[in-house]
Amino acid sequence: MATQKIADTPRWYVVATKPAREFFAAGQLRNQGFEVFSPKRKATIRHVRKLVTRSRPLFPGYLFVQMRLDAIRWRAINGTLGVKFILSQDERPVPLPKGFVEAIMAHAGPDGMVTYAPDLKVGDKVTLMAGPFANEIGELIAKDDRGRVEVLMRFVSSVAVKTTQDNLLPA
């Protein structure tokens, strides 16, 4: 009975993609008529001695597909270019908890770009999302009107890191 209920309503499922093929796989799935959500984030990287902001997957190697299991040929997903497989258990896709993808979509624009605009204040603990100190926690010590910030990282000694507010999350 519970399986029938899951099959009747559209749910979100996780699709694993080949390395660095998230956006390509999303396009291929859309061409087949699937509803796809591939959240992105801005990442500032150093390229040829200058900083460049690029679009990167929020979840590298994964994207989301919404479907009703009883109304769609979901097995075609596994044969799609750029896709490894849809996450399954006992040969059936496993739906994500209700509200998970919707919560991410609430922070995303029409292009899938996720922006968390936290009201960060000087003195707040933050986590860096990109760069050599990714996933490290520091303290916000300076902030300007154009979104540039300075974060104090404490290791053996203290190091001030300059980045943009887009690369921070509250710790």
Side-chain angles (χ1 to χ4, degrees):
M1 184 73 104
T3 306
Q4 182 63 29
K5 213 168 204 174
I6 288 174
D8 288 345
T9 59
R11 297 286 302 268
W12 287 100
Y13 298 86
V14 178
V15 174
T17 65
K18 294 183 179 175
R21 303 298 278 174
E22 298 88 358
F23 302 141
F24 177 77
Q28 294 294 314
L29 288 166
R30 282 188 190 101
N31 288 342
Q32 294 178 49
F34 290 101
E35 184 174 345
V36 179
F37 179 56
S38 181
K40 302 175 236 171
R41 67 178 178 89
K42 289 181 183 175
T44 304
I45 58 171
R46 184 175 299 277
H47 182 69
V48 190
R49 289 191 223 138
K50 60 183 171 182
L51 294 176
V52 179
T53 301
R54 297 231 168 108
S55 171
R56 297 283 186 224
L58 185 62
F59 301 106
Y62 298 95
L63 53 85
F64 306 106
V65 173
Q66 186 180 41
M67 61 185 170
R68 285 181 35 206
L69 288 182
D70 65 339
I72 202 152
R73 55 190 203 312
W74 62 266
R75 292 185 192 275
I77 292 173
N78 290 334
T80 302
L81 293 173
V83 170
K84 282 190 201 174
F85 54 84
I86 186 167
L87 271 62
S88 303
Q89 181 177 7
D90 298 328
E91 296 186 24
R92 286 193 58 88
V94 178
L96 286 167
K98 288 187 179 185
F100 178 81
V101 174
E102 290 81 0
I104 297 169
M105 290 175 117
H107 293 283
D111 60 351
M113 189 66 67
V114 176
T115 54
Y116 295 99
D119 294 330
L120 297 173
K121 297 182 265 335
V122 172
D124 286 352
K125 297 286 184 200
V126 294
T127 302
L128 287 164
M129 293 176 44
F133 299 112
N135 300 321
E136 295 292 337
I137 296 176
E139 180 183 341
L140 183 63
I141 57 172
K143 178 179 169 181
D144 70 12
D145 296 342
R146 295 189 290 185
R148 293 183 298 199
V149 295
E150 197 168 341
V151 178
L152 184 64
M153 309 299 293
R154 290 194 173 100
F155 299 110
V156 175
S157 63
S158 297
V159 176
V161 177
K162 293 181 181 181
T163 185
T164 61
Q165 188 167 338
D166 294 340
N167 287 331
L168 300 179
L169 285 177

